[in-house]
Amino acid sequence: MAAHLRLRGALSLVTGGGSGIGRAICVRLAQEGAVVAIADCDEVGAAKTLQGLPPGDHEALPVDVGCAKSVGDLVARIQARYSRPATVCVNCAGITMDEFLLKQSEEAFDAVLRVNLKGTFLVTQAVARALVASNAPGGSIINMGSVVGKVGNLGQVNYAASKAGVEALSKTAAKELARYNIRCNTILPGFIRSPMTDKVPQKVLDKFAAMVPLGRLGEPEDVADVCAFLASEDSRYITGASVEVTGGLFI
Ligand code: NAP
């Protein structure tokens, strides 16, 4: 349990909040006193996350982050429900469709870019617009990249490209939004246990675990703790940064 309620009353939007890392982030932000809007295309998963949160005025909401209309509806519903925009936004929705470059289909490339990169763009833009339009702009946007976006990875040409794009998008947003006191940072997780990595063959996970200087794969809570720091005023002078949460992998 958090020692301090660093996010007391802060309205937070977490996409991909219905599973894995996003769910752990919802829990951590709520433990810090935030009100959490859990947004996911998996409505059952989002409802399950909601059930596991400490008491608060939290809500689970459906969204397809790759669709501008759906994202617009989400932000409008949050405004109507809470009479204020989210001041913390975590873009955690993401997918993989792994295949080697020589075999990758155009459809798989487009699908991964649509959710991971375009989705991050649409949500970041909609949330930033709502904040700028409010009387007291200021906020923290946290985007989920991946260390794979820096170093590449076999079978992940679409995913690696999307996550490199997320990092560049975040740095640009940080430059443009600083004048409104809106910060934008990227977390670059390494290999974190979640339903996403459950799809990776165990022998591949074992290989990566053996390469991690801290000697283990990451847990969603390892990422959530960093996210809470970036959401809070403890990181008030940090923007445009990329924070690796990898146990030292690829340093
Ligand atoms: P996860 O357990 O699969 O969670 C991702 C969530 O996003 C799922 O609930 C998924 O729903 C949802 N989602 C997918 N497409 C969506 C859309 N169009 N609109 C709204 N929600 C959508 O994966 P995770 O491991 O927690 O990953 C969370 C984030 O961290 C992702 O951005 C991922 O790329 C990133 N990351 C993960 C790792 C890792 O090792 N796990 C490493 C680096 C970065 P469905 O299940 O229905 O698709």
Side-chain angles (χ1 to χ4, degrees):
M1 179 59 78
H4 311 287
L5 293 177
R6 294 182 295 183
L7 299 171
R8 193 191 297 270
L11 181 55
S12 307
L13 164 63
V14 182
T15 75
S19 180
I21 295 171
R23 175 173 291 159
I25 289 170
C26 291
V27 171
R28 187 72 171 87
L29 298 185
Q31 286 173 344
E32 294 259 12
V35 174
V36 186
I38 309 150
D40 205 297
C41 64
D42 176 1
E43 295 185 49
V44 174
K48 197 171 162 200
T49 299
L50 181 63
Q51 282 172 4
L53 294 191
D57 195 16
H58 318 296
E59 184 160 6
L61 297 159
V63 71
D64 172 4
V65 296
C67 168
K69 165 131 187 11
S70 178
V71 170
D73 289 348
L74 171 71
V75 172
R77 279 184 69 174
I78 289 171
Q79 182 70 41
R81 165 84 164 74
Y82 296 102
S83 303
R84 57 182 168 136
T87 51
V88 172
C89 170
V90 185
N91 281 301
C92 204
I95 60 169
T96 53
M97 292 177 74
D98 294 353
E99 188 52 272
F100 291 112
L101 171 69
L102 295 181
K103 291 187 182 172
Q104 176 115 155
S105 69
E106 183 180 356
E107 290 73 23
F109 188 86
D110 285 348
V112 168
L113 269 286
R114 177 184 177 276
V115 176
N116 297 5
L117 182 54
K118 184 182 171 190
T120 301
F121 160 68
L122 290 173
V123 175
T124 298
Q125 184 186 57
V127 167
R129 281 178 174 165
L131 282 169
V132 170
S134 71
N135 288 333
S140 176
I141 298 169
I142 298 138
N143 293 329
M144 214 50 65
S146 169
V147 73
V148 158
K150 272 181 70 179
V151 301
N153 195 27
L154 292 173
Q156 292 200 309
V157 66
N158 50 358
Y159 183 80
S162 74
K163 293 301 187 179
V166 165
E167 201 176 354
L169 183 156
S170 302
K171 288 180 189 296
T172 304
K175 288 183 176 179
E176 294 187 9
L177 298 176
R179 73 183 64 184
Y180 305 105
N181 194 30
I182 301 168
R183 300 182 292 111
C184 186
N185 293 293
T186 314
I187 297 178
L188 308 181
F191 284 84
I192 311 295
R193 284 182 200 279
S194 78
M196 183 178 277
T197 47
D198 284 349
K199 289 183 268 180
V200 178
Q202 189 59 44
K203 67 175 186 184
V204 176
L205 291 177
D206 290 345
K207 194 185 101 186
F208 278 115
M211 289 164 60
V212 176
L214 285 179
R216 64 172 174 86
L217 296 178
E219 300 295 334
E221 292 72 20
D222 296 323
V223 180
D225 287 356
V226 175
C227 191
F229 165 71
L230 289 173
S232 79
E233 280 298 297
D234 284 353
S235 61
R236 61 195 165 275
Y237 202 55
I238 299 178
T239 195
S242 299
V243 182
E244 294 185 27
V245 184
T246 63
L249 185 66
F250 301 132
I251 50 175

